[in-house]
Amino acid sequence: MAKNSVGIIGTGNVGVAAAYSIFQRQIAGNLILVDRDHQRAEGEAMDLMHGQSLVGRVMVRAGDYADLADCSVIVITAGVNQKPGESRLELLNRNAAVFREIAGHLDRHAPDAVLVIATNPVDILTYAMQRLTQRPAQRVIGTGTMLDTSRFRAALGEYYGVNPRSVHAYIMGEHGDSEVPIWSSAKVGGLNLFEQTVNGRQFDAQAMERLFQQVKTAAFDIISRKGYTNTAIGLVIAYLVRVILEDQKSVLAVSVDPQGDYGLEDVCLSVPCIVGRDGIESRVAPLINDAELKGMQASAQVLRDSLKGMSID
């Protein structure tokens, strides 16, 4: 298997942003774009290839599922949009049908690849893909709350006047309205926000709640202005792909089945996990307080309710 080959299924706004981020950072030597609209995939590949003299030699081409055979990582951004008058369940079942078709092709042509799921609702579709594919569940990873966590750390960095890379804090649970900020273990430069003064500022519960609400509604705020979100999630996907290809064993908040952590199972939501070449190597379940535990349980129930009636077996 060519360890530097990456496939992207779906060349909409998110797929193209991911391709651009992977290309610009030279994360993969070979990038293969697959889309039902093959001409669109060809156009996106051609456009990126014209930047090689500025970035370096990265081969980008349009292909079909058979061309993904040598890929170590395959990113799935494909999905269908809601039709007028269509219920959420009907939309979920149409997306499940799309994923069933993709799973069949990938099991045939790229059975050993790690799959990165970025299509929304990402937790539901990660759960669906884990059941539709024949590969082990640890090789199917949803981007989950990686973006929410990045937004969270960026906002905390701005509030405390520090580089966001010095902030260690997670958003866990659903990538959506029931997501859970984990304040009890949030740190800046090793200092616990709950217990210590950071850069002259003490923990202010009201200010932190306002900050979290801004994080939670960030996607809606962006969509109301530009119609969609794509660049930040593209960076998230590229980062996750690099972690897998380089076997970094980084701890990331990604969507997985908790398998009993926090009393939760048979659902996919975000908990910190060690991620490497083989996908999820192990889950990291930080200690959380009672309020955060209730939030995680409520988040899991929201997702279980969404799964009711879905045809994914």
Side-chain angles (χ1 to χ4, degrees):
M1 180 180 291
K3 294 182 180 178
N4 65 342
S5 293
V6 172
I8 297 180
I9 301 174
T11 56
N13 292 321
V14 173
V16 170
Y20 175 77
S21 296
I22 292 169
F23 175 85
Q24 199 272 337
R25 295 184 173 200
Q26 294 185 285
I27 291 169
N30 299 286
L31 190 56
I32 302 163
L33 309 182
V34 176
D35 197 284
R36 286 187 174 181
D37 184 346
H38 188 73
Q39 284 194 321
R40 173 167 182 166
E42 285 183 327
E44 297 293 355
M46 292 166 63
D47 203 4
L48 282 172
M49 285 284 284
H50 294 161
Q52 283 189 106
S53 65
L54 305 172
V55 171
R57 186 168 175 79
V58 179
M59 300 303 297
V60 189
R61 63 187 175 95
D64 56 27
Y65 288 103
D67 295 310
L68 302 176
D70 289 331
C71 290
S72 295
V73 183
I74 298 171
V75 179
I76 301 174
T77 67
V80 294
N81 296 319
Q82 194 163 17
K83 297 177 179 178
E86 184 177 38
S87 71
R88 176 180 171 84
L89 180 58
E90 289 170 336
L91 174 63
L92 287 174
N93 277 321
R94 284 204 299 130
N95 269 311
V98 170
F99 270 48
R100 184 176 292 106
E101 178 184 348
I102 292 172
H105 288 301
L106 295 183
D107 284 348
R108 178 182 177 187
H109 295 292
D112 296 322
V114 175
L115 306 186
V116 170
I117 312 301
T119 307
N120 278 322
V122 66
D123 302 297
I124 299 296
L125 293 176
T126 300
Y127 181 90
M129 183 56 81
Q130 287 186 352
R131 279 145 186 80
L132 293 169
T133 184
Q134 296 175 15
R135 75 200 67 223
Q138 66 264 25
R139 300 183 75 82
V140 180
I141 307 173
T143 52
T145 59
M146 279 186 68
L147 178 53
D148 310 82
T149 293
S150 179
R151 289 168 173 158
F152 192 41
R153 293 177 179 181
L156 286 169
E158 183 176 355
Y159 181 84
Y160 285 103
V162 300
N163 188 322
R165 291 186 177 184
S166 297
V167 178
H168 297 279
Y170 292 106
I171 298 289
M172 290 166 47
E174 178 198 16
H175 172 58
D177 290 342
S178 69
E179 64 188 33
V180 183
I182 307 302
W183 295 111
S184 58
S185 61
K187 292 180 174 64
V188 173
L191 301 178
N192 188 294
L193 300 187
F194 258 172
E195 301 170 354
Q196 296 168 283
T197 299
V198 178
N199 203 15
R201 286 192 144 178
Q202 293 182 326
F203 188 87
D204 182 329
Q206 291 184 336
M208 292 298 98
E209 177 59 23
R210 289 193 298 269
L211 182 148
F212 168 61
Q213 291 301 322
Q214 291 170 1
V215 169
K216 189 164 73 168
T217 62
F220 300 103
D221 294 337
I222 295 168
I223 291 168
S224 70
R225 289 163 172 79
K226 61 178 274 188
Y228 55 89
T229 64
N230 65 325
T231 50
I233 187 60
L235 289 167
V236 163
I237 292 167
Y239 186 91
L240 179 53
V241 168
R242 168 167 272 170
V243 165
I244 296 167
L245 289 178
E246 296 180 357
D247 195 25
Q248 289 186 10
K249 304 187 189 304
S250 296
V251 178
L252 305 173
V254 290
S255 189
V256 297
D257 187 331
Q259 298 182 12
D261 290 343
Y262 308 117
L264 306 174
E265 58 187 351
D266 197 29
V267 68
C268 282
L269 43 64
S270 285
V271 295
C273 297
I274 299 172
V275 181
R277 184 180 297 115
D278 293 325
I280 302 298
E281 298 204 353
S282 65
R283 298 175 311 284
V284 178
L287 294 175
I288 58 178
N289 62 33
D290 289 343
E292 292 161 351
L293 178 59
K294 289 179 181 178
M296 289 291 289
Q297 293 168 341
S299 195
Q301 190 58 50
V302 166
L303 291 165
R304 289 195 190 96
D305 289 343
S306 292
L307 286 166
K308 291 177 181 176
M310 277 191 70
S311 301
I312 53 175
D313 295 320

